[in-house]
């Protein structure tokens, strides 16, 4: 599908990337803007099954700049570790303001996996000077939001000369990163007192997990993004 990006200036990305398209299968809404330096992506959904898949498997966004190898660059965020999946079984995600979910999302916002020509490597999202920005959150209405900013320079792209950027947003229902060892502590490995009253977690019997434990909402959105230019 083709998508026409909008120019970032004069507003700021956090406030103004409004999702203006929706994937009908996953009910994931998306919006993309850019300037000369960055491409900014905002993803939002209230669909319980899509939220389940994102939180339990992670989301991969792959980039295919014009004239370069297909999906030569990608960002995996959130990065779902074995510890995360254990924690998810103890968290009731029907409670979007629950302490357990807040802790999990906070751990997700610490790191991501960036793939470039040198291979995959962890990037620290906590350091303020990090060039890649990525953040996931859930509001009290149960809407999940993921915001991403990627510098064109990391993809060898001159935005003033490049017209198109291939983009694949994917959640395949299985984490490819289960073998990774997190370098930033997850903090949810056990003993956090989340067992009582919050035991109905994703994939467990009853409630949220069992109703939506299927692959019908897997995300696979392929876009040809026409980059915006300054007027």
């Amino acid at each position: 599908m083709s998508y026409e990006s909008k120019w970032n200036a004069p507003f700021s990305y956090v406030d103004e990337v409004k999702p203006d398209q929706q994937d009908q299968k996953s009910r994931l809404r998306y919006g993309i803007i850019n300037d000369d330096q960055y491409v900014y992506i905002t993803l939002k959904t209230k669909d319980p099954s899509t939220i389940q898949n994102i939180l339990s498997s992670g989301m991969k966004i792959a980039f295919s700049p014009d004239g370069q190898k297909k999906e030569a660059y990608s960002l995996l965020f959130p990065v779902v570790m074995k510890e995360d999946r254990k924690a998810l079984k103890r968290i009731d995600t029907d409670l979007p303001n629950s302490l357990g979910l807040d802790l999990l999302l906070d751990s997700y916002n610490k790191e991501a996996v960036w793939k470039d020509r040198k291979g995959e490597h962890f990037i620290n999202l906590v350091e303020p000077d990090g060039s890649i920005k990525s953040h996931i959150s859930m509001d009290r209405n149960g809407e999940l939001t993921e915001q991403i900013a990627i510098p064109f320079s990391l993809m060898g792209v001159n935005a003033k000369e490049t017209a198109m950027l291939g983009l694949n947003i994917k959640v395949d229902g299985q984490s490819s990163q289960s073998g990774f060892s997190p370098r930033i502590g997850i903090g949810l490995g056990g003993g956090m007192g989340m067992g009582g009253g919050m035991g109905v977690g994703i994939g467990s019997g009853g409630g949220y997990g069992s109703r939506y434990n299927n692959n019908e909402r897997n995300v696979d959105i392929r876009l040809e993004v026409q980059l915006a230019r300054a007027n």
Side-chain angles (χ1 to χ4, degrees), residues 13 33 56 63 65 80 91 96 99 132 138 157 210-212 219:
Y13 129 80
I33 64 175
S56 60
F63 301 90
V80 181
I91 295 173
L99 174 62
I132 293 176
M138 183 180 286
V157 169
S210 60
R211 287 202 311 270
Y212 301 103
V219 179

Side-chain angles (χ1 to χ4, degrees), residues 27 29 44-49 51 139 141-144:
R27 298 175 190 169
R29 295 183 294 125
K44 289 179 177 285
T45 185
K46 286 185 177 181
D47 184 82
S49 185
I51 291 173
D139 67 19
N141 295 319
E143 182 173 61
L144 192 77

Side-chain angles (χ1 to χ4, degrees), residues 109-129:
N109 284 322
K110 291 180 179 179
E111 64 186 359
V113 173
W114 174 248
K115 175 195 166 190
D116 54 23
R117 292 175 179 176
K118 298 178 181 178
E120 291 186 332
H121 48 92
F122 276 102
I123 55 173
N124 190 328
L125 299 174
V126 180
E127 297 297 326
D129 58 350

Side-chain angles (χ1 to χ4, degrees), residues 82-153:
K82 292 178 181 177
E83 293 89 342
D84 298 332
R85 283 198 291 274
K86 291 177 183 177
L88 280 165
K89 293 178 181 178
R90 300 195 303 272
I91 295 173
D92 185 351
T93 50
D94 279 332
L95 300 176
N97 58 348
S98 72
L99 174 62
L101 185 60
D102 286 346
L103 287 170
L104 186 74
L105 294 179
D106 183 59
S107 74
Y108 282 168
N109 284 322
K110 291 180 179 179
E111 64 186 359
V113 173
W114 174 248
K115 175 195 166 190
D116 54 23
R117 292 175 179 176
K118 298 178 181 178
E120 291 186 332
H121 48 92
F122 276 102
I123 55 173
N124 190 328
L125 299 174
V126 180
E127 297 297 326
D129 58 350
S131 58
I132 293 176
K133 300 175 179 63
S134 215
H135 188 265
I136 189 168
S137 62
M138 183 180 286
D139 67 19
R140 294 182 181 271
N141 295 319
E143 182 173 61
L144 192 77
T145 298
E146 188 165 319
Q147 295 175 306
I148 295 162
I150 308 286
F152 285 121
S153 61

